[in-house]
Amino acid sequence: MVLIKDGKRLDGRDFDELRDVKMEVSVLERAVGSAYMEWGKNKVMAAVYGPRELHPKFLQDPTKALLRCTYNLAPFSVEERKRPGPDRRSVEISKVTTEALSSVVMLEKFPNTVIDVFIEILQADAGTRCVGLTAASLALADAGIPMRDLVAACSAGKIQGEIVVDLMKEEDNYGECDLPLAIIPRKGEVVLLQMDGKLTKDEFKKAYELAFKGAMKVYEMQKNTLLGSMKRFVGEGGNDDGN
Ligand code: ADP
């Protein structure tokens, strides 16, 4: 499959161009915090429940809260109906998401409790673990749970020998490599880095830099989204048109 034509990608993007990203917080009434994101054709909802007392009690940690992220791909989110329920892939993504977020959430403030984060992929088009993590981090902030910083994510990869940022489905399927990255932007620390495929050292460096830059752009959008939501909350934001 031809992925690059006249120096442009299938959807007309440049190599260092992200898909369109939209984010919104406080979208669910009954969750403590929530976020909805669209990133290209991906549509993702994240909801936070807790902190609340953890049961069964033997799982409780008197020094900190347990963070539990659950990533779920809806049956209607992909081309062929996905069998509902957890599978190896979603268990893996739930685990790496939990680990990434555990390094920013101040879990020590809520001993003996659990904080649940549900990530629902309503429509999938590659890069969903990055969207899920970004949305989950927004939902945690929306819930007012103290965090050292947000987590921002973005992927890069290799298609037809070129290093590009933010692979969409066709590029993920027919490309050579995908490299999702999540960072704690203020510290520049990496909390998730995976690689599916092969890259040379130089290609890796280039892909890493593109993903990092992409995640920093996403971080700016996250901060603006949270700021906008706060302004609305205290009545300083004018109407929803941002006027
Ligand atoms: P990510 O979504 O983080 O890139 P993968 O690389 O594992 O994770 O998946 C790439 C894409 O493949 C997903 O975004 C989704 O569009 C598609 N996909 C994943 N799992 C399935 C599945 N069980 N059935 C159909 N498509 C899937």
Side-chain angles (χ1 to χ4, degrees):
M1 184 171 190
V2 178
L3 298 173
I4 299 175
K5 217 174 152 189
D6 303 327
K8 296 268 184 194
R9 297 155 71 178
L10 282 182
D11 54 2
R13 274 187 296 157
D14 289 322
F15 297 166
D16 62 351
E17 196 177 340
L18 296 183
R19 290 175 283 185
D20 282 343
V21 179
K22 285 184 205 153
M23 38 181 93
E24 201 181 331
V25 290
S26 296
V27 288
L28 299 173
E29 211 167 290
R30 295 189 187 92
V32 182
S34 57
Y36 173 70
M37 279 190 65
E38 290 183 6
W39 184 326
K41 289 185 202 158
N42 291 307
K43 296 187 179 185
V44 173
M45 186 73 87
V48 171
Y49 219 78
R52 62 197 162 95
E53 202 182 61
L54 175 57
H55 292 286
K57 266 198 158 168
F58 71 86
L59 290 177
Q60 290 184 1
D61 184 338
T63 66
K64 61 178 182 352
L66 173 76
L67 183 70
R68 201 161 52 185
C69 300
T70 311
Y71 168 104
N72 181 52
L73 201 61
F76 48 81
S77 66
V78 285
E79 238 164 80
E80 295 243 333
R81 173 187 177 274
K82 187 210 160 262
R83 200 164 158 256
D87 52 16
R88 276 170 57 123
R89 179 178 171 277
S90 62
V91 170
E92 175 223 318
I93 299 180
S94 299
K95 180 175 183 290
V96 294
T97 302
T98 301
E99 285 168 1
L101 290 169
S102 292
S103 44
V104 290
V105 178
M106 296 184 183
L107 297 171
E108 65 281 3
K109 292 206 183 281
F110 306 101
N112 299 318
T113 68
V114 59
I115 301 170
D116 270 305
V117 183
F118 298 99
I119 299 166
E120 300 292 333
I121 311 296
L122 307 173
Q123 192 166 287
D125 197 71
T128 59
R129 74 195 63 206
C130 292
V131 191
L133 243 175
T134 303
S137 157
L138 278 174
L140 280 162
D142 183 53
I145 291 172
M147 292 156 86
R148 292 178 185 89
D149 193 5
L150 296 164
V151 167
C154 185
S155 84
K158 184 176 167 186
I159 57 164
Q160 277 180 217
E162 299 285 352
I163 303 299
V164 302
V165 78
D166 186 23
L167 272 58
M168 59 174 176
K169 185 81 180 81
E170 292 82 353
E171 297 174 330
D172 186 279
N173 277 9
Y174 302 104
E176 291 101 87
C177 185
D178 183 27
L179 183 115
L181 169 76
I183 57 171
I184 305 176
R186 270 204 299 210
K187 287 200 207 159
E189 232 172 68
V190 173
V191 286
L192 176 142
L193 178 63
Q194 299 183 292
M195 188 159 101
D196 184 10
K198 280 186 189 164
L199 295 175
T200 65
K201 253 190 200 169
D202 282 348
E203 286 171 342
F204 174 83
K205 197 163 168 264
K206 208 169 159 191
Y208 177 87
E209 275 164 14
L210 271 184
F212 197 97
K213 264 190 204 156
M216 288 306 284
K217 282 183 197 160
V218 169
Y219 181 52
E220 289 307 313
M221 293 182 225
Q222 284 175 307
K223 284 192 295 185
N224 286 337
T225 303
L226 289 169
L227 215 60
S229 152
M230 245 158 75
K231 279 186 182 159
R232 255 199 312 280
F233 186 66
V234 294
E236 287 175 17
N239 60 33
D240 278 351
D241 303 334
N243 298 319

Coordinates of all heavy atoms in Angstrom, one line a residue, residues 73 78 82 89 124-129 169 172 178, ligand 1:
L73 N -11.5 -1.7 24.6 CA -11.9 -1.4 23.2 C -13.3 -1.8 23.0 O -13.6 -3.0 23.1 CB -10.9 -2.2 22.4 CG -10.6 -1.8 20.9 CD1 -9.9 -0.5 20.8 CD2 -9.6 -2.9 20.3
V78 N -13.8 -1.0 16.1 CA -12.9 -1.4 15.1 C -13.7 -1.9 13.9 O -14.9 -2.2 14.0 CB -11.9 -2.4 15.6 CG1 -10.8 -1.8 16.5 CG2 -12.6 -3.5 16.3
K82 N -15.2 -6.4 17.6 CA -14.3 -7.0 18.6 C -15.1 -7.7 19.7 O -16.1 -7.2 20.1 CB -13.4 -5.9 19.2 CG -12.3 -6.5 20.1 CD -11.9 -5.5 21.2 CE -11.2 -6.3 22.3 NZ -12.1 -6.7 23.4
R89 N -4.1 -7.9 24.8 CA -3.8 -6.5 24.4 C -4.3 -5.5 25.4 O -3.6 -4.6 25.9 CB -4.3 -6.2 23.0 CG -4.0 -4.9 22.5 CD -4.4 -4.7 21.1 NE -4.3 -3.3 20.7 CZ -5.2 -2.3 21.0 NH1 -6.3 -2.7 21.7 NH2 -5.0 -1.1 20.7
A124 N -11.5 3.4 17.1 CA -10.1 3.2 17.1 C -9.5 3.4 15.8 O -10.0 2.9 14.8 CB -9.8 1.8 17.7
D125 N -8.4 4.1 15.7 CA -7.7 4.3 14.4 C -6.2 4.5 14.6 O -5.6 5.4 14.1 CB -8.3 5.6 13.7 CG -7.9 5.6 12.2 OD1 -8.4 4.8 11.5 OD2 -7.0 6.4 11.9
A126 N -5.6 3.6 15.5 CA -4.2 3.6 15.8 C -3.8 4.7 16.8 O -4.4 5.8 16.7 CB -3.3 3.7 14.6
G127 N -2.9 4.4 17.7 CA -2.5 5.3 18.7 C -3.4 5.5 19.9 O -3.3 6.4 20.6
T128 N -4.3 4.5 20.1 CA -5.3 4.6 21.1 C -4.7 4.6 22.5 O -5.3 5.2 23.4 CB -6.4 3.5 21.0 OG1 -5.7 2.2 21.1 CG2 -7.1 3.6 19.7
R129 N -3.5 3.9 22.7 CA -3.0 3.9 24.1 C -2.5 5.4 24.4 O -2.6 5.8 25.6 CB -1.9 2.9 24.2 CG -0.5 3.2 23.5 CD 0.3 2.0 23.4 NE -0.3 1.0 22.6 CZ 0.0 -0.3 22.7 NH1 0.8 -0.8 23.6 NH2 -0.6 -1.2 21.9
K169 N -4.3 4.5 11.2 CA -4.5 3.1 11.1 C -3.7 2.5 9.9 O -3.0 1.5 10.0 CB -6.0 2.8 10.9 CG -6.3 1.3 10.9 CD -6.4 0.7 12.3 CE -6.7 -0.7 12.3 NZ -5.6 -1.6 12.0
D172 N -0.1 2.4 10.6 CA 0.2 1.4 11.6 C 0.2 0.0 11.0 O 1.1 -0.8 11.3 CB -0.8 1.6 12.7 CG -0.5 0.7 13.9 OD1 -0.8 -0.5 13.9 OD2 0.1 1.2 14.9
D178 N 6.1 1.4 14.9 CA 5.3 2.3 15.7 C 6.0 2.4 17.0 O 6.4 1.5 17.6 CB 3.9 1.8 15.8 CG 3.0 2.7 16.5 OD1 3.2 3.9 16.5 OD2 2.0 2.3 17.2
Ligands
ADP1 P1 -2.6 1.5 19.6 O1 -4.1 1.7 19.4 O2 -2.2 2.1 20.9 O3 -1.8 2.0 18.4 P2 -2.1 -1.2 18.6 O4 -0.8 -0.8 17.9 O5 -2.1 -2.5 19.4 O6 -2.4 -0.1 19.7 O7 -3.3 -1.2 17.7 C1 -3.4 -0.3 16.5 C2 -4.8 -0.3 16.0 O8 -5.2 -1.5 15.5 C3 -5.8 0.2 17.0 O9 -5.8 1.5 17.3 C4 -7.1 -0.3 16.4 O10 -7.5 0.6 15.4 C5 -6.6 -1.6 15.7 N1 -6.9 -2.8 16.6 C6 -6.4 -3.1 17.7 N2 -6.9 -4.2 18.3 C7 -7.9 -4.6 17.4 C8 -8.8 -5.7 17.3 N3 -8.9 -6.6 18.3 N4 -9.6 -5.8 16.2 C9 -9.5 -4.9 15.2 N5 -8.6 -3.9 15.2 C10 -7.8 -3.7 16.3

